[in-house]
Amino acid sequence: MPLAPMGSTLRVLRPAPNVLAFYDGRVADTRLWSEAPNWLDDGAYALGIASYAIVEGKEALVYDTHISLAHARLIRRTLEDMGVRHMRVVLSHWHDDHVAGNEVFADCEILANALTADILTEKRAKLESGDPPIRPLVLPNRTFSGEITLQVGVLPVTLRQMDIHSCDGTVALLPDGLLLAGDTVEDPITYVDEPERLAIHLEALAQMARWPLSRILPNHGAAEVIAAGGYQPDLIAATRRYVERLIAARTDPGLAVRDLRAFVPEDFASGAIGYFAPYEAVHRQNLTAVTEAS
């Protein structure tokens, strides 16, 4: 299978006023980096991934720098062509598919919560020697803890630190209740990276469910749903239910052998999440991670 040029399948979506989504992946029979297994093709690209930009006037806040330098350059060029002259970056968490384009924004403020900065520093050598490598990994140059509100032109954007999916998550909340969720939720199911912390993640999801949200834009989801404005808040409840059943599968052999459709059938039936076959492999990996951690 010939490799597609990096960034050649990137789509720019407009899910909400002042918000752009830079979406790539979920393209049949297409790979970008290598025929061999790697994090870019088999994780982010196969499942679909978006980075976002909040734009107001000549200012933009870029939420994650995507999966390659080519993708990050396309993001920056698109914003500059729109007349943006001042950019800042916010990192949703430390994972490779969210920080790979940092170098393109090295002359900008790159903001992350302090835990993300610490983890990136700790894992710098690993990320720089990965497949594909993120070399050099440009680290955040500003940090916060807990919560901070930024101004993007006249638009206030609140960043909140959340212990969901990874211990160092950061989400972005706009005044109209639109949430840029990073990997705290995704469609159809979360990827379990910290199985020993699932109970903590559940508590944080319950907290998020109490926020007055209108729509949710996750980094991993269906392009058509993102383009139409994002997900309903019931994506949070679907994520909670899936995590609860993962925990239950540690002691319930019947749950542990169910395929994805049978694991949370009510959420597929309600439309809170949509079935996407490549997530069957994610589901099996999640079950293995959870049962081995018990």
Side-chain angles (χ1 to χ4, degrees), residues 76-123:
R76 183 159 188 163
R77 186 179 311 136
T78 299
L79 296 174
E80 288 174 344
D81 288 347
M82 293 175 62
V84 171
R85 296 295 175 262
H86 178 65
M87 301 180 201
R88 285 178 290 178
V89 170
V90 171
L91 303 179
S92 69
H93 61 301
W94 71 269
H95 289 166
D96 39 22
D97 51 334
H98 301 263
V99 303
N102 284 9
E103 185 185 4
V104 172
F105 298 94
D107 61 335
C108 303
E109 179 178 274
I110 300 179
L111 177 63
N113 71 61
L115 187 52
T116 296
D118 289 345
I119 295 173
L120 284 172
T121 300
E122 174 193 346
K123 296 185 180 293

Coordinates of all heavy atoms in Angstrom, one line a residue, residues 76-123:
R76 N -1.1 26.1 11.2 CA -0.6 27.5 11.3 C -0.8 28.3 10.0 O -1.2 29.5 10.1 CB 0.9 27.4 11.6 CG 1.5 28.8 11.8 CD 2.8 28.8 12.6 NE 3.2 30.2 13.0 CZ 4.1 30.5 13.9 NH1 4.6 29.5 14.6 NH2 4.4 31.7 14.1
R77 N -0.6 27.7 8.9 CA -0.8 28.4 7.6 C -2.3 28.8 7.5 O -2.6 29.9 7.0 CB -0.4 27.5 6.5 CG -0.4 28.2 5.1 CD 0.1 27.3 4.0 NE 1.4 26.7 4.4 CZ 1.6 25.4 4.2 NH1 0.7 24.6 3.7 NH2 2.8 24.9 4.6
T78 N -3.2 27.9 7.8 CA -4.6 28.2 7.7 C -5.0 29.4 8.6 O -5.7 30.3 8.1 CB -5.4 26.9 8.1 OG1 -5.1 25.8 7.3 CG2 -6.9 27.2 8.1
L79 N -4.5 29.4 9.8 CA -4.8 30.5 10.7 C -4.2 31.8 10.2 O -4.8 32.9 10.2 CB -4.3 30.2 12.1 CG -5.0 29.0 12.8 CD1 -4.3 28.7 14.1 CD2 -6.5 29.2 13.0
E80 N -2.9 31.7 9.7 CA -2.3 33.0 9.2 C -3.1 33.5 8.0 O -3.2 34.7 7.8 CB -0.8 32.7 8.9 CG 0.0 32.5 10.1 CD 1.4 32.0 9.8 OE1 1.7 31.6 8.6 OE2 2.3 32.1 10.7
D81 N -3.5 32.6 7.1 CA -4.3 33.0 6.0 C -5.6 33.7 6.4 O -6.2 34.4 5.6 CB -4.6 31.8 5.0 CG -3.3 31.3 4.3 OD1 -2.3 32.1 4.3 OD2 -3.3 30.2 3.7
M82 N -6.1 33.3 7.6 CA -7.3 34.0 8.1 C -7.1 35.3 8.7 O -8.0 36.0 9.1 CB -8.0 33.0 9.1 CG -8.5 31.7 8.5 SD -9.1 30.7 9.9 CE -10.5 31.7 10.6
G83 N -5.8 35.7 8.8 CA -5.5 37.0 9.4 C -5.0 36.9 10.8 O -4.8 38.0 11.4
V84 N -4.8 35.7 11.3 CA -4.4 35.6 12.7 C -2.9 36.0 12.8 O -2.1 35.5 12.0 CB -4.5 34.1 13.2 CG1 -3.9 33.9 14.6 CG2 -6.0 33.8 13.3
R85 N -2.6 36.8 13.8 CA -1.2 37.3 14.0 C -0.7 36.9 15.3 O 0.5 37.1 15.6 CB -1.2 38.8 13.8 CG -1.5 39.2 12.3 CD -0.5 38.7 11.4 NE -0.9 39.0 10.0 CZ -1.4 38.1 9.1 NH1 -1.7 36.9 9.6 NH2 -1.7 38.4 7.9
H86 N -1.5 36.5 16.2 CA -1.0 36.1 17.6 C -1.6 34.7 17.9 O -2.9 34.6 18.0 CB -1.4 37.1 18.6 CG -1.0 36.8 20.0 ND1 0.3 36.7 20.4 CD2 -1.7 36.5 21.1 CE1 0.4 36.3 21.7 NE2 -0.9 36.2 22.1
M87 N -0.8 33.7 18.1 CA -1.2 32.4 18.5 C -0.6 31.9 19.8 O 0.5 32.2 20.1 CB -0.8 31.4 17.4 CG -1.3 31.7 16.0 SD -0.7 30.5 14.8 CE -0.9 31.4 13.3
R88 N -1.4 31.2 20.5 CA -1.0 30.5 21.7 C -1.4 29.0 21.5 O -2.4 28.7 20.8 CB -1.6 31.0 23.0 CG -1.0 32.3 23.4 CD -1.6 32.9 24.6 NE -3.0 33.4 24.4 CZ -3.8 33.9 25.3 NH1 -3.4 33.9 26.5 NH2 -5.0 34.3 24.9
V89 N -0.7 28.1 22.2 CA -1.0 26.7 22.1 C -1.4 26.2 23.5 O -0.8 26.6 24.5 CB 0.2 25.9 21.6 CG1 0.0 24.4 21.8 CG2 0.4 26.2 20.2
V90 N -2.4 25.4 23.6 CA -2.7 24.7 24.9 C -2.6 23.2 24.6 O -3.1 22.7 23.5 CB -4.1 25.0 25.4 CG1 -4.5 24.1 26.5 CG2 -4.2 26.4 25.8
L91 N -1.9 22.4 25.4 CA -1.8 21.0 25.3 C -2.8 20.3 26.2 O -2.9 20.6 27.4 CB -0.4 20.5 25.7 CG 0.8 21.2 24.9 CD1 2.1 20.7 25.4 CD2 0.6 20.9 23.4
S92 N -3.6 19.4 25.6 CA -4.6 18.7 26.4 C -4.0 17.6 27.3 O -4.6 17.4 28.3 CB -5.6 18.0 25.4 OG -5.0 16.9 24.7
H93 N -2.9 17.0 26.9 CA -2.2 16.1 27.8 C -0.9 15.7 27.1 O -0.6 16.2 26.0 CB -3.0 14.9 28.2 CG -3.5 14.0 27.1 ND1 -4.3 14.5 26.0 CD2 -3.3 12.7 26.8 CE1 -4.6 13.5 25.2 NE2 -4.0 12.4 25.6
W94 N -0.1 14.8 27.6 CA 1.2 14.6 27.2 C 1.3 13.6 26.0 O 2.4 13.5 25.4 CB 2.1 14.0 28.3 CG 1.8 12.6 28.8 CD1 0.9 12.2 29.7 CD2 2.4 11.4 28.2 NE1 0.9 10.9 29.9 CE2 1.8 10.3 29.0 CE3 3.3 11.1 27.3 CZ2 2.1 9.0 28.7 CZ3 3.6 9.8 27.0 CH2 3.0 8.8 27.7
H95 N 0.3 12.9 25.6 CA 0.4 11.8 24.6 C 1.0 12.3 23.3 O 0.7 13.4 22.8 CB -0.9 11.1 24.5 CG -1.2 10.2 25.7 ND1 -2.5 9.7 25.9 CD2 -0.5 9.8 26.7 CE1 -2.5 9.0 27.0 NE2 -1.3 9.1 27.5
D96 N 1.7 11.4 22.6 CA 2.4 11.8 21.4 C 1.6 12.4 20.3 O 2.0 13.3 19.6 CB 3.2 10.6 20.8 CG 2.5 9.2 20.9 OD1 1.2 9.3 21.0 OD2 3.1 8.2 20.9
D97 N 0.3 11.9 20.1 CA -0.5 12.3 19.0 C -1.1 13.7 19.3 O -1.9 14.3 18.5 CB -1.6 11.3 18.7 CG -2.4 10.9 19.9 OD1 -1.9 10.9 21.0 OD2 -3.6 10.5 19.7
H98 N -0.8 14.3 20.4 CA -1.2 15.6 20.8 C -0.1 16.7 20.8 O -0.4 17.9 20.9 CB -2.0 15.6 22.1 CG -3.2 14.7 22.1 ND1 -4.5 15.1 21.8 CD2 -3.2 13.3 22.2 CE1 -5.3 14.0 21.8 NE2 -4.5 13.0 22.0
V99 N 1.1 16.2 20.8 CA 2.2 17.2 21.0 C 3.2 17.1 19.8 O 4.3 17.8 19.8 CB 3.0 16.9 22.3 CG1 2.0 17.0 23.5 CG2 3.7 15.5 22.3
A100 N 3.0 16.3 18.8 CA 4.0 16.0 17.8 C 4.3 17.2 17.0 O 5.4 17.3 16.4 CB 3.5 14.9 16.9
G101 N 3.4 18.2 16.9 CA 3.6 19.4 16.1 C 4.1 20.6 16.8 O 4.2 21.7 16.3
N102 N 4.5 20.4 18.1 CA 4.9 21.5 18.9 C 6.0 22.4 18.3 O 6.0 23.6 18.5 CB 5.4 21.0 20.3 CG 4.3 20.6 21.2 OD1 3.1 20.5 20.8 ND2 4.6 20.3 22.5
E103 N 7.0 21.8 17.6 CA 8.1 22.6 17.1 C 7.6 23.7 16.2 O 8.3 24.8 16.1 CB 9.1 21.6 16.4 CG 10.3 22.3 15.9 CD 11.2 21.4 15.1 OE1 10.8 20.3 14.8 OE2 12.3 21.9 14.7
V104 N 6.6 23.5 15.5 CA 6.0 24.5 14.5 C 5.6 25.8 15.3 O 5.6 26.9 14.7 CB 4.9 23.9 13.7 CG1 4.2 25.0 12.9 CG2 5.4 22.8 12.8
F105 N 5.3 25.6 16.6 CA 4.8 26.7 17.4 C 5.8 27.1 18.5 O 5.5 27.7 19.5 CB 3.5 26.4 18.0 CG 2.4 26.1 17.0 CD1 2.1 24.8 16.6 CD2 1.6 27.1 16.5 CE1 1.1 24.6 15.7 CE2 0.6 26.9 15.6 CZ 0.3 25.6 15.2
A106 N 7.1 26.8 18.2 CA 8.1 27.0 19.2 C 8.3 28.5 19.5 O 8.8 28.8 20.6 CB 9.5 26.4 18.7
D107 N 7.9 29.4 18.6 CA 8.0 30.8 18.9 C 6.8 31.4 19.5 O 6.7 32.6 19.7 CB 8.3 31.6 17.6 CG 7.1 31.4 16.5 OD1 6.4 30.3 16.6 OD2 7.0 32.2 15.7
C108 N 5.8 30.5 19.9 CA 4.6 30.9 20.6 C 4.6 30.5 22.0 O 5.4 29.7 22.4 CB 3.4 30.3 19.9 SG 3.2 30.7 18.1
E109 N 3.7 31.0 22.8 CA 3.4 30.5 24.1 C 2.8 29.1 24.0 O 1.8 29.0 23.3 CB 2.5 31.4 24.9 CG 2.2 31.0 26.3 CD 1.3 31.9 27.0 OE1 1.8 32.9 27.6 OE2 0.1 31.8 27.0
I110 N 3.4 28.1 24.6 CA 2.8 26.8 24.7 C 2.5 26.5 26.1 O 3.4 26.4 27.0 CB 3.8 25.7 24.1 CG1 4.2 26.1 22.7 CG2 3.2 24.3 24.2 CD1 5.2 25.1 22.1
L111 N 1.2 26.4 26.4 CA 0.7 26.3 27.8 C 0.2 24.9 28.1 O -0.4 24.3 27.2 CB -0.5 27.3 27.9 CG -1.2 27.4 29.2 CD1 -0.3 27.8 30.4 CD2 -2.4 28.3 29.1
A112 N 0.6 24.4 29.2 CA 0.1 23.1 29.7 C 0.0 23.2 31.2 O 0.6 24.0 31.8 CB 1.1 22.0 29.3
N113 N -0.8 22.3 31.8 CA -0.8 22.2 33.2 C 0.6 21.7 33.7 O 1.3 21.0 32.9 CB -2.0 21.4 33.8 CG -1.9 19.9 33.5 OD1 -1.0 19.2 34.0 ND2 -2.9 19.4 32.8
A114 N 0.9 22.0 34.9 CA 2.3 21.7 35.4 C 2.6 20.2 35.3 O 3.7 19.8 35.1 CB 2.4 22.2 36.8
L115 N 1.6 19.3 35.5 CA 1.8 17.9 35.5 C 2.1 17.4 34.1 O 3.0 16.6 33.9 CB 0.5 17.2 36.0 CG 0.7 15.6 36.2 CD1 1.9 15.3 37.0 CD2 -0.6 15.1 36.8
T116 N 1.4 18.0 33.1 CA 1.8 17.7 31.7 C 3.2 18.1 31.4 O 4.0 17.3 30.8 CB 0.8 18.4 30.7 OG1 -0.5 17.9 30.9 CG2 1.3 18.2 29.3
A117 N 3.6 19.2 31.8 CA 5.0 19.7 31.6 C 6.0 18.7 32.2 O 7.1 18.4 31.7 CB 5.2 21.1 32.1
D118 N 5.7 18.3 33.5 CA 6.6 17.4 34.2 C 6.7 16.0 33.4 O 7.8 15.5 33.3 CB 6.1 17.1 35.6 CG 6.3 18.4 36.5 OD1 7.1 19.3 36.1 OD2 5.7 18.4 37.6
I119 N 5.6 15.5 33.0 CA 5.6 14.2 32.3 C 6.3 14.3 31.0 O 7.1 13.4 30.6 CB 4.1 13.7 32.1 CG1 3.5 13.4 33.5 CG2 4.1 12.4 31.3 CD1 2.0 13.1 33.4
L120 N 6.1 15.4 30.2 CA 6.8 15.5 29.0 C 8.3 15.6 29.2 O 9.1 15.0 28.4 CB 6.3 16.8 28.2 CG 4.9 16.7 27.6 CD1 4.5 18.0 27.1 CD2 5.0 15.7 26.4
T121 N 8.7 16.3 30.2 CA 10.1 16.3 30.5 C 10.7 15.0 30.9 O 11.7 14.6 30.4 CB 10.4 17.3 31.7 OG1 9.9 18.6 31.4 CG2 11.9 17.4 32.1
E122 N 9.9 14.2 31.7 CA 10.3 12.9 32.1 C 10.4 11.9 30.8 O 11.3 11.1 30.7 CB 9.4 12.3 33.1 CG 9.6 10.9 33.5 CD 8.4 10.3 34.3 OE1 7.6 11.1 34.7 OE2 8.3 9.1 34.4
K123 N 9.5 12.0 29.9 CA 9.3 11.1 28.8 C 9.9 11.7 27.5 O 9.8 11.1 26.4 CB 7.9 10.7 28.6 CG 7.3 10.0 29.8 CD 5.9 9.5 29.5 CE 5.3 8.8 30.6 NZ 5.9 7.5 30.9

